[in-house]
Amino acid sequence: MELIIGQYVPRSSVIHRLDPRAKLIGVFLYVIIVFLANNWPTYALLAVFTASGVALSNVPLRYIVRGLKPVLFLIVFTFVLNALFTHQGPALFKFGWLELTSAGFIQAVFISIRLLVLIVATTLLTLTTTPIDITDGLEQLLSPLKKLRFPVHEFALMMAIALRFIPTLVEETEKIMKAQTARGAEFSSGSLVKRAKAIVPLLVPLFVGAFKRAEELAMAMEARGYRGDVGRTKWRLLQWQTRDTVLLASIALLTAALVFLRG
Amino acid sequence: MKKMSLRRNITVALLSAIAYLIMYLQFPLPLIPVFLQIDLSDIPALIAAIMYGPLAGVVVEAVKNIIHAFVMGSVIGEAANFFAGSLFIVVSTYIYHKGKTLRSLIIGMGAGTLVMAGVMSVANYFIIFPLYAYFLGFSIEQAVQLAKAANHSIHDLISLIVLAILPFNIIKGIIISILALPIYARLRPRLRTDA
């Protein structure tokens, strides 16, 4: 199982050094303004902006490509759907009931760029920010919700622990699968019912392991003096720098450009 | 704020991580369009809700979908999954906690399945399908045409919902319930929460 999550790529770059809060706000705003694009200049602008982000991050391209793999199907699927089912204007070619119009083709390209840009932006965030920084940033951004008695700290802690243990649990799942295969279980072949049934002897030990791990981890944390949010100090403090303001300013500029250029 | 047990929070976090992993083991159903895929990631949330109450199950659904949204760069599918899963879990474990027996769990999951299927059908008609169509740039007719490939009786959005979304959610609820029962039975001695 290949999962990009937690696959932080340590490099020395401006994007890496950005405050996680700035990156989270930036990606959040970006995901929204992507939908402003509706013609060639605006989509080109988005592509260039995203590409320069990737270039500035010093992250090798193959990591970005790997992040795209799980969603490649969605992109191809949307491309085909848009290309073949948009029946506007004259057909470029016709094959039975299949018909490709130039309007359909352009629409398909636009939507593919939209999806690509969205996914690359979020992938770039997880590739250049450690899970600890992401949850730390989230916790601070959400801290106003504490006034509404929403347990922000507890939620951030749970996110951090979940992210931290995903690779460990992948390993454990593989171990259990091998152990059950050695006993004659089949996970990847057989009928739907058989495969669904095979999940029970996989999940039970996984749950039992998680309960045990939770008990040990809770004890270890309490032994080290963890008592929750109140009075907690931090080793690494987030500091807002000029470059963080620059990022948000450039997003604002991009928004203005998109509004100006869109048709 | 009420002080919460650390062990409970960590257990919920680990169950969320397991739920996130199970999301990748999704599979399509025959006669149902491919964009509806069954995944069993509601089972860890159900276990969390059985142990610590419905809210813990909702937290598992939230954490799992937030991580998934970050990785996939998409939002609508995750939001739909969150609402469907939360509905199922809140209804079924609310009933379960009235009796805390195998019987109350079965009744709860039955009710949870019906509520989930009903509400999600309505939500799909008014919210989810129009949103998807807007974000992915295709019209509802295009999605209907695609669904037609899986089942020829589908000809408009209503028939798509009645013939695909509704049975999909009912089957999903039944599959999850059938798998959850033996898991619950085997974990039962360990589900003492004392937290």
Side-chain angles (χ1 to χ4, degrees), chain A residues 1 3 173 199 202-203 206-207, chain B residues 15-27 38-45 64 68 183:
Chain A
M1 224 186 291
L3 299 166
T173 311
I199 223 148
L202 176 69
L203 281 184
L206 211 52
F207 286 147
Chain B
L15 288 172
S16 311
I18 294 176
Y20 169 76
L21 291 178
I22 301 179
M23 275 184 117
Y24 283 88
L25 299 171
Q26 44 179 223
F27 46 87
I38 293 242
D39 78 82
L40 305 168
S41 61
D42 292 329
I43 295 178
K64 158 192 108 174
H68 202 258
I183 293 176

Side-chain angles (χ1 to χ4, degrees), chain A residues 3 5 35 71 77 81-82 85 107 111 114 119 122 125 154 158 166 169-170 196 199 203 207 210 214 226, chain B residues 6 9 11 13-15 17 20-22 40 70-73 134-138 142 145-146 179 187 190:
Chain A
L3 299 166
I5 191 72
F35 290 94
V71 272
F77 173 78
L81 199 67
N82 271 295
F85 291 107
Q107 170 80 348
I111 300 300
R114 178 190 286 181
I119 294 155
T122 46
L125 173 74
E154 282 76 8
M158 285 192 255
I166 285 169
L169 286 166
V170 170
I199 223 148
L203 281 184
F207 286 147
Y226 175 85
Chain B
L6 181 60
N9 288 348
T11 308
L14 292 178
L15 288 172
Y20 169 76
L21 291 178
I22 301 179
L40 305 168
F70 262 117
V71 175
M72 291 301 185
Y134 176 71
F135 281 100
L136 294 180
F138 55 76
Q142 286 168 359
Q145 285 206 34
L146 187 81
L179 291 175
L187 288 180
R190 289 175 185 273

Side-chain angles (χ1 to χ4, degrees), chain A residues 35-81:
Chain A
F35 290 94
L36 284 172
N38 61 358
N39 54 13
W40 283 113
T42 43
Y43 274 109
L45 196 61
L46 283 180
V48 169
F49 191 85
T50 312
S52 42
V54 172
L56 279 174
S57 73
N58 273 338
V59 172
L61 221 51
R62 65 193 151 91
Y63 287 99
I64 307 271
V65 174
R66 207 163 67 184
L68 290 178
K69 241 193 240 161
V71 272
L72 197 64
F73 169 76
L74 182 70
I75 294 174
V76 173
F77 173 78
T78 328
F79 187 89
V80 172
L81 199 67

Side-chain angles (χ1 to χ4, degrees), chain A residues 211-233:
Chain A
F211 298 156
K212 222 174 104 194
R213 204 186 293 277
E215 199 173 342
E216 287 168 2
L217 186 58
M219 226 184 281
M221 282 172 73
E222 269 162 357
R224 284 162 179 76
Y226 175 85
R227 7 176 200 99
D229 192 19
V230 183
R232 191 178 177 202
T233 54

Side-chain angles (χ1 to χ4, degrees), chain A residues 95-170:
Chain A
F95 183 78
W97 58 277
L98 286 176
E99 176 178 73
L100 181 68
T101 63
S102 59
F105 183 72
I106 290 170
Q107 170 80 348
V109 172
F110 281 172
I111 300 300
S112 305
I113 295 178
R114 178 190 286 181
L115 283 173
L116 269 174
V117 158
L118 282 175
I119 294 155
V120 170
T122 46
T123 309
L124 198 60
L125 173 74
T126 50
L127 287 177
T128 61
T129 324
T130 58
I132 294 176
D133 277 345
I134 292 183
T135 44
D136 211 14
L138 265 180
E139 183 178 350
Q140 295 204 21
L141 285 176
L142 294 177
S143 60
L145 289 178
K146 275 180 196 164
K147 291 211 177 76
L148 301 171
R149 299 166 69 90
F150 181 82
V152 175
H153 171 76
E154 282 76 8
F155 195 72
L157 179 78
M158 285 192 255
M159 285 284 295
I161 290 174
L163 284 169
R164 159 64 184 82
F165 279 98
I166 285 169
T168 317
L169 286 166
V170 170

